Amino acid sequence: MSLAPSAKGIAPFGEHGTWYRVTGDLGAGRPPLVVVHGGPGSTHDYLLNLASLSERGRPVVHYDQLGNGGSTRLPDRGPEFWTVRLFLDELDNLLNELGIADDYILYGQSWGGLLSAEHAATRPAGLRALVIANSPASYPLWRQEMTVLRNALPPGVNDTLTEHETAGTTDSPEYMQAMQIFYEKHLCRVQPWPRDLIASLMEIQNDSTVYGTMNGPSEFHVIGTLRDWTVEDRLPRVAVPTMLLSGRHDEATPVTVRPYAELIPDVRRWVIFEESSHVPHLEEPARFTDVLAEFLDEVGG
């Protein structure tokens, strides 16, 4: 079965615009799955295969968060502009612009999981269910676990990383090579990397404004404005059925994910993909699609 037709557009957001893509029919009677990508400062590309859910009658909405991809680029804006509130407002705006704010499901991956949890904690009336994938509940926990994962890298790799982080030379080829060793173990274990993942990584490289400001130079060296941010204290307010997803080798380790399981009142299941790291939708796509579709059918109409 081929994918349902897709429609693309720009949703006005103040003076700016949010690029979006809808696969399937928003009027088909099933709550659409709205896909909130990671980063921050990445793009929808690496999550594009979730559009296959449209084959099962579920419309899927992808979008690029402000600052990258097809959305408005603002490379001259400083840290005071790039805030969690900005991206929460952008999500609310998109839901309203597409006319789905009264009936939708959120899928948040990595940073998108924290953002989706924060959104869900406001108890929006139209939110039917929540999927949090490969996402820490806290950047302090994330940074703590990055130390654990880095110390387990092959001898000398963490020394190289630390040397360049201390010197401020994280753009050096040597740092990039050492970074790749971490990424091939904890970001994506499929070789060669899927084209959709490469597309998003190239977008970050081409415009690192948001990623560099809010996160930092790499997944495991978080020195940006999010370094102390957590959603843990808001999780008890999440009032919809929730599923957690992570990989056995995920950079979002069980320690970082566990607060969701312990604090969200209605977590239906936590599925760990044994052969995956941070992108099980690309590493174990068949099982991933079955797991996600089963949950959506169970809770989302």
Side-chain angles (χ1 to χ4, degrees), residues 13 45 66 92 123 131 140 147 159 186 189 221 233 239 268:
F13 178 44
D45 300 88
L66 194 67
D92 286 340
R123 299 187 175 179
V131 181
T147 300
D159 292 339
H186 298 298
R189 297 169 71 86
H221 188 45
D233 60 337
R268 299 292 175 90

Side-chain angles (χ1 to χ4, degrees), residues 170-183:
T170 55
D171 57 349
S172 72
E174 188 178 34
Y175 186 84
M176 298 296 180
Q177 291 171 5
M179 182 172 69
Q180 189 69 16
I181 294 171
F182 180 97
Y183 283 3

Side-chain angles (χ1 to χ4, degrees), residues 76-84 86-87 209-210 212-214 224-225:
D76 297 327
R77 297 298 177 97
E80 70 285 349
F81 180 80
W82 302 110
T83 64
V84 173
L86 172 73
F87 292 107
T209 303
V210 182
T213 298
M214 298 184 75
T225 56

Side-chain angles (χ1 to χ4, degrees), residues 38-39 46 108-115 133-136 142 219 251 278:
Y46 76 101
Q109 201 275 340
S110 197
W111 137 264
L114 288 104
L115 194 67
N134 318 101
S135 175
W142 175 272
E219 296 289 277
E251 58 184 3
H278 198 52

Side-chain angles (χ1 to χ4, degrees), residues 53-121:
L53 289 166
S54 66
E55 298 173 6
R56 308 183 186 214
R58 173 82 55 192
V60 180
V61 176
H62 288 86
Y63 74 104
D64 287 337
Q65 293 164 25
L66 194 67
N68 219 330
S71 296
T72 305
R73 308 287 188 94
L74 296 159
D76 297 327
R77 297 298 177 97
E80 70 285 349
F81 180 80
W82 302 110
T83 64
V84 173
R85 172 47 54 192
L86 172 73
F87 292 107
L88 289 170
D89 290 346
E90 181 186 34
L91 175 56
D92 286 340
N93 180 75
L94 179 67
L95 297 172
N96 287 318
E97 287 287 329
L98 294 179
I100 59 175
D102 60 348
D103 193 26
Y104 64 99
I105 299 167
L106 279 188
Y107 177 98
Q109 201 275 340
S110 197
W111 137 264
L114 288 104
L115 194 67
S116 296
E118 188 79 72
H119 173 90

Side-chain angles (χ1 to χ4, degrees), residues 2-253:
S2 60
L3 288 179
S6 64
K8 302 174 184 178
I10 301 290
F13 178 44
E15 300 176 351
H16 314 302
T18 300
W19 180 95
Y20 67 85
R21 165 184 169 142
V22 178
T23 307
D25 182 4
L26 290 180
R30 304 191 82 185
L33 182 70
V34 180
V35 181
V36 186
H37 67 69
S42 185
T43 61
H44 78 286
D45 300 88
Y46 76 101
L47 291 161
L48 194 53
N49 72 352
L50 271 69
S52 67
L53 289 166
S54 66
E55 298 173 6
R56 308 183 186 214
R58 173 82 55 192
V60 180
V61 176
H62 288 86
Y63 74 104
D64 287 337
Q65 293 164 25
L66 194 67
N68 219 330
S71 296
T72 305
R73 308 287 188 94
L74 296 159
D76 297 327
R77 297 298 177 97
E80 70 285 349
F81 180 80
W82 302 110
T83 64
V84 173
R85 172 47 54 192
L86 172 73
F87 292 107
L88 289 170
D89 290 346
E90 181 186 34
L91 175 56
D92 286 340
N93 180 75
L94 179 67
L95 297 172
N96 287 318
E97 287 287 329
L98 294 179
I100 59 175
D102 60 348
D103 193 26
Y104 64 99
I105 299 167
L106 279 188
Y107 177 98
Q109 201 275 340
S110 197
W111 137 264
L114 288 104
L115 194 67
S116 296
E118 188 79 72
H119 173 90
T122 67
R123 299 187 175 179
L127 181 63
R128 302 292 173 241
L130 176 65
V131 181
I132 297 175
N134 318 101
S135 175
S138 155
Y139 277 95
L141 280 178
W142 175 272
R143 291 189 288 111
Q144 169 190 308
E145 288 297 285
M146 287 305 103
T147 300
V148 175
L149 295 179
R150 287 173 58 146
N151 286 337
L153 292 172
V157 175
N158 193 34
D159 292 339
T160 298
L161 294 171
T162 302
E163 176 185 339
H164 286 285
E165 289 162 0
T166 301
T169 52
T170 55
D171 57 349
S172 72
E174 188 178 34
Y175 186 84
M176 298 296 180
Q177 291 171 5
M179 182 172 69
Q180 189 69 16
I181 294 171
F182 180 97
Y183 283 3
E184 290 179 0
K185 187 172 183 179
H186 298 298
L187 179 68
C188 181
R189 297 169 71 86
V190 173
Q191 294 296 327
W193 277 357
R195 291 178 62 183
D196 289 351
L197 177 61
I198 293 173
S200 282
L201 293 174
M202 288 182 67
E203 289 280 4
I204 296 174
Q205 184 175 3
N206 290 338
D207 188 341
S208 61
T209 303
V210 182
Y211 187 80
T213 298
M214 298 184 75
N215 186 85
S218 70
E219 296 289 277
F220 47 79
H221 188 45
V222 179
I223 56 175
T225 56
L226 291 177
R227 69 186 312 274
D228 295 318
W229 185 50
T230 177
V231 297
E232 291 171 283
D233 60 337
R234 271 89 72 204
L235 296 180
R237 289 190 50 79
V238 176
V240 294
T242 300
M243 179 169 68
L244 308 177
L245 304 175
S246 61
R248 178 62 64 191
H249 310 282
D250 208 327
E251 58 184 3
T253 67

Side-chain angles (χ1 to χ4, degrees), residues 40 147 259 267 283:
T147 300
V267 172
E283 295 167 290

